[in-house]
Amino acid sequence: MLFYTLTTKHFTSKLLIPCSKSFSDFTITRFFSALSNPSSDTDHEPEINHSIPKLVSLKPDMELPFSCNSIKVAPKPKLGSCRTEMDLTQVAPIPKFDSCGTELEVPPFGDSFKVAPKPKLGSCRTEMDLSKNAQIPKFDSCGTELEVPPFDTSLKVAPKPKFDSCGTEMELSKNAQIPKFDSCGTPKPKLGSCETEMEVPISDKLFKEAPKLGSFKLGDSTFYSLIEKYADSGDFRSLEMVFDRMKCEKRVFIEKSFILVFRAYGKARLPEKAVELFGRMVDEFQCKRTVKSFNSVLNVIVQAGLYRRALDFYADVVNNRNIRPNVLSFNLVFKTMCKLRMVDRALEVFREMASWKCEPDVYTYCTLMDGLCKDDRIDEAVILLDEMQIEGCFPVPVTFNVLINGLCKKGDLARAAKLVDNMFLKGCVPNEVTYNTLIHGLCLKGKLEKAVNLLDRMVLNKCVPTDVTYGTIINGFVKQGRATDGVQILLAMQEKGRMANEYVYSALLSGLFKEGKPEEALKIWKEMIEKELKPNTVAYSTFIDGLCREGRPDEAKEILSEMIKNGCNPNAYTYCSLMKAYFKTGDSNKAILLWEEMATSGITCNEICYSVLIHGLCQDGKLKEAMMVWKHMLGKGFVPDAVAYSSMIHGLCNAGSVDQGLRLFNEMLYRGSDFQPDVIAFNIVLSALCKVDRVSLAIDLLNTMLDRGCDPDAITCNIFLKTLNERANPSQDAEDFLEKLVLQLYKRQRIVGASRIIEVMLQKFLYPKSSTWKLIIRELCKPKKVQGAINNCWSNLFI
């Protein structure tokens, strides 16, 4: 029996309906229709609501409301696994069937009757109709219902059952997670345990077999996950397959999927592929392009260094594809233009941003300031800082760091210090980059004590010095010829718990060897090894070069063997240092063996290696071997540098082949600005010409030397003085020659070169005329030059 309460416009009635098969759904329908519409025609079929009534407990006088004056009608019967029709009334419980359709006896659930759930197909295709709130019966792998313990009488939806690997139901608590099922509805067993769940990633097998299984239909989120996966791994072939599949299934393409692919093309350095895909978005994939995808492609092109291509792409999209650029678009364009040194054009586009109704941000101003600073237009960059603040865009530490870096490189430390004070006024606290920039600028100017004081101030302001900070100061001391002071900074660094890297040790090693302190350099090397700091190629090469400078090539060769043994590959400069040392000690055979070892080791030789070999062979008098190396170098496509040219010219002139040396020298003259002969090359040819008594040609070459901006030195003067001493009146001729040389340099405003010639005259007890003295002293005594000379003098005394 089941109570129903029928509420209509006219009356409310309670009905007790017996659960009997003879009570058909049609009879119930006609009966309720007559009650609810007594005046209507009985043949008229009422409006039927096919929703399933809710499950209620059997309580006295419990009402079950009807909606919209309608009643619930039992669903149409469905066929079971043995195709036997089942007449299911609304109120009758659902009979249980085994795998062959035989009805099984079901015990009552508590003291209530459950409304029959909607049948659903099991593994043996027995359909089950489950209502929303009905308890879900448990079935084994053949569809047979399993016994369920009685529930309480509250209106709670039964939780879904959980199965172990054998299909046996597992106890499920109220808050238990829903188990994972395979495509057939059977829960997947967990590896290692029947109680621990594992996350199973989406696989390609699931993607391919899902439409066949019919368990679910692939959603767009699944495709997006695949696109994300293949984009991260750079599998572009699989990405194209996913796109083709989406087109075949008429899926909706979203822009963020393409942005993932654009970024993948950027990582793979394939900017043209990104541009091509951007062009296909609308016509082929029916995906609307916005400024997001435009910026993504533009950034890929800029990151690849194709700046001209980036500007062309920007112009094409903005002018022809109706995409309005935003502030990020403009920032990328400004970065591109500044890289191309098109700062003026960048400023023009910057002024046009207002017409696009786009406000610049702090990165816009930083990019333009950096471009102006690199173009040596610091004043304009500072003006832009003021304009930025007037427009209401407040600077950040990066903004000030850009300007401070530009001022420090220019050497204007006073203005850089004022900018630091301005930072504090604007509420921007200097960071590590600010202090490192200032310290670097002070080291470039040689103000190392101020750099050390700024390091202490940095610590007081709770900014932690980095390896770059200490390395900058140490490198500054090394360049000033004060490597010992650099060692003291290294000790202070270690006391504060900072470990120096290989580059700091390399700088100290180089400085100590150059200052003639090999023993201290060896201590630094041993300390680096004891601290288990593995030397890199730079450190090994520096140490080997230092030993070679001290004339200890055999020890350097042992370090080279240790370097190779420790898995650190030497480079061409490492071998060059050793070859130079062996040539210097007169052991050219070992130098040639090193050359052969370098070739067999697969190390690429460069112009410096050839220059060292040619120079050593020419000094050793092996001109024929040097000519062979020269031809081999030209055959490899290398262009000789000034050292190689000078060495070959010197070797030919010493061998008496002055004309061949002159031809090679003329070839060097017309090679271009990068291969202009220096004073050493000129002196070699001048000496050779004077030796064969071709003084007039030597004078012409001297005039060429002056015209090309190369000042003669003491060796040049000695070459001509030696030649003039062989004449009748050597002292008078020497005075006239050198004084004319001084006047020629004065006319070319090369006062330093002229003063050097006067120094040579005084050393030879040759005195210039008073008029010549007056000209040179007047130029040297200009205030700026005097102050510069005094500063240089004090610097030399201090060192």
Side-chain angles (χ1 to χ4, degrees), residues 579 581-594 613 616-617 620 622:
M579 286 193 298
Y582 278 124
F583 277 124
K584 192 174 181 180
T585 56
D587 201 343
S588 59
N589 292 327
K590 287 185 178 180
I592 294 172
L593 289 175
L594 274 174
L613 188 59
L617 291 172
D620 205 30
K622 299 178 179 180

Side-chain angles (χ1 to χ4, degrees), residues 622-690:
K622 299 178 179 180
L623 183 60
K624 186 180 292 185
E625 289 82 353
M627 288 296 296
M628 291 174 62
V629 176
W630 178 271
K631 292 178 181 178
H632 187 268
M633 177 177 61
L634 296 177
K636 288 285 186 180
F638 291 107
V639 179
D641 58 4
V643 176
Y645 269 113
S646 301
S647 301
M648 283 302 304
I649 292 168
H650 187 260
L652 290 169
C653 291
N654 283 344
S657 303
V658 180
D659 291 332
Q660 290 185 22
L662 278 175
R663 281 197 294 270
L664 205 58
F665 183 80
N666 290 328
E667 178 184 330
M668 185 182 181
L669 283 175
Y670 295 103
R671 271 281 186 179
S673 59
D674 294 337
F675 301 96
Q676 288 301 301
D678 54 5
V679 64
I680 297 173
F682 276 105
N683 288 340
I684 289 170
V685 179
L686 290 172
S687 177
L689 291 173
C690 290

Side-chain angles (χ1 to χ4, degrees), residues 62 86 143 191 229 237 291 312 370 452 491 503 681 694 760:
M62 184 170 219
M86 298 180 292
L191 296 178
K229 169 190 170 184
R237 183 176 179 182
V291 70
D312 293 341
D370 185 60
V452 174
L491 295 175
Y503 299 99
R694 298 167 70 174
V760 172

Side-chain angles (χ1 to χ4, degrees), residues 686-700:
L686 290 172
S687 177
L689 291 173
C690 290
K691 282 181 180 179
V692 295
D693 201 20
R694 298 167 70 174
V695 182
S696 59
L697 186 57
I699 296 295
D700 292 338

Side-chain angles (χ1 to χ4, degrees), residues 116-363:
K118 195 173 183 179
K120 203 173 199 180
L121 290 177
S123 58
C124 294
R125 308 195 61 81
T126 303
E127 190 169 0
M128 301 178 292
D129 192 1
L130 302 178
S131 65
K132 292 182 180 178
N133 294 327
Q135 291 180 346
I136 302 174
K138 296 6 180 230
F139 292 88
D140 62 9
S141 58
C142 295
T144 305
E145 185 176 4
L146 304 173
E147 184 176 354
V148 182
F151 290 83
D152 60 8
T153 58
S154 61
L155 297 174
K156 292 184 180 178
V157 180
K160 293 185 179 181
K162 206 172 199 181
F163 296 89
D164 62 8
S165 59
C166 300
T168 306
E169 182 182 354
M170 297 172 62
E171 185 177 352
L172 188 64
S173 65
K174 292 182 180 179
N175 297 325
Q177 295 180 349
I178 299 175
K180 297 172 175 59
F181 293 86
D182 62 9
S183 58
C184 297
T186 304
K188 290 188 177 182
K190 282 76 183 178
L191 296 178
S193 172
C194 293
E195 295 181 0
T196 306
E197 292 189 10
M198 292 179 59
E199 284 291 335
V200 182
I202 297 174
S203 64
D204 292 341
K205 183 178 180 182
L206 181 66
F207 173 75
K208 294 174 182 177
E209 295 183 358
K212 300 177 184 177
L213 298 172
S215 59
F216 71 94
K217 192 174 182 180
L218 284 172
D220 293 335
S221 60
T222 307
F223 284 105
Y224 181 79
S225 299
L226 287 172
I227 292 171
E228 185 178 21
K229 169 190 170 184
Y230 291 133
D232 288 341
S233 61
D235 190 352
F236 299 110
R237 183 176 179 182
S238 297
L239 281 171
E240 287 293 336
M241 293 174 64
V242 173
F243 282 164
D244 292 341
R245 180 67 174 273
M246 292 178 71
K247 284 192 297 183
C248 292
E249 296 187 8
K250 296 182 179 180
R251 294 285 179 178
V252 177
F253 288 87
I254 55 177
E255 188 180 28
K256 65 178 184 179
S257 298
F258 290 97
I259 292 176
L260 290 175
V261 182
F262 294 149
R263 291 173 182 170
Y265 280 131
K267 291 180 182 178
R269 311 290 290 181
L270 297 170
E272 290 302 328
K273 289 287 186 181
V275 175
E276 179 188 352
L277 183 60
F278 181 79
R280 296 163 55 195
M281 283 179 65
V282 174
D283 297 333
E284 186 175 344
F285 302 105
Q286 286 77 47
C287 181
K288 183 181 178 182
R289 291 175 297 216
T290 67
V291 70
K292 292 181 180 180
S293 55
F294 166 56
N295 289 340
S296 181
V297 178
L298 184 61
N299 184 58
V300 167
I301 302 172
V302 173
Q303 292 298 326
L306 304 175
Y307 303 121
R308 295 283 182 185
R309 181 71 178 93
L311 293 180
D312 293 341
F313 176 75
Y314 171 82
D316 175 61
V317 172
V318 172
N319 297 330
N320 303 325
R321 308 195 189 187
N322 298 324
I323 293 180
R324 292 178 63 86
N326 60 9
V327 65
L328 178 58
S329 311
F330 282 108
N331 289 345
L332 290 170
V333 170
F334 295 148
K335 179 181 178 180
T336 302
M337 290 180 174
C338 291
K339 289 286 186 181
L340 294 172
R341 296 297 180 92
M342 299 168 59
V343 184
D344 291 324
R345 177 56 185 155
L347 291 173
E348 291 176 9
V349 177
F350 171 69
R351 302 303 174 191
E352 295 172 0
M353 286 183 69
S355 62
W356 291 95
K357 297 181 181 180
C358 186
E359 294 292 332
D361 60 7
V362 65
Y363 298 103

Side-chain angles (χ1 to χ4, degrees), residues 42-180:
T42 57
D43 294 331
H44 179 70
E45 188 171 334
E47 180 181 347
I48 298 173
N49 188 343
H50 291 281
S51 61
I52 307 296
K54 295 184 179 180
L55 178 66
V56 297
S57 299
L58 186 59
K59 291 188 178 180
D61 199 29
M62 184 170 219
E63 291 187 358
L64 197 66
F66 286 78
S67 60
C68 303
N69 298 330
S70 63
I71 60 174
K72 308 292 186 294
V73 180
K76 293 182 179 181
K78 295 185 180 180
L79 296 179
S81 59
C82 295
R83 308 192 62 83
T84 304
E85 183 173 358
M86 298 180 292
D87 190 5
L88 303 177
T89 62
Q90 185 176 5
V91 296
I94 297 178
K96 309 300 183 294
F97 292 87
D98 61 8
S99 59
C100 296
T102 306
E103 184 173 355
L104 303 174
E105 184 176 354
V106 183
F109 289 82
D111 56 83
S112 62
F113 291 95
K114 305 293 186 289
V115 179
K118 195 173 183 179
K120 203 173 199 180
L121 290 177
S123 58
C124 294
R125 308 195 61 81
T126 303
E127 190 169 0
M128 301 178 292
D129 192 1
L130 302 178
S131 65
K132 292 182 180 178
N133 294 327
Q135 291 180 346
I136 302 174
K138 296 6 180 230
F139 292 88
D140 62 9
S141 58
C142 295
T144 305
E145 185 176 4
L146 304 173
E147 184 176 354
V148 182
F151 290 83
D152 60 8
T153 58
S154 61
L155 297 174
K156 292 184 180 178
V157 180
K160 293 185 179 181
K162 206 172 199 181
F163 296 89
D164 62 8
S165 59
C166 300
T168 306
E169 182 182 354
M170 297 172 62
E171 185 177 352
L172 188 64
S173 65
K174 292 182 180 179
N175 297 325
Q177 295 180 349
I178 299 175
K180 297 172 175 59

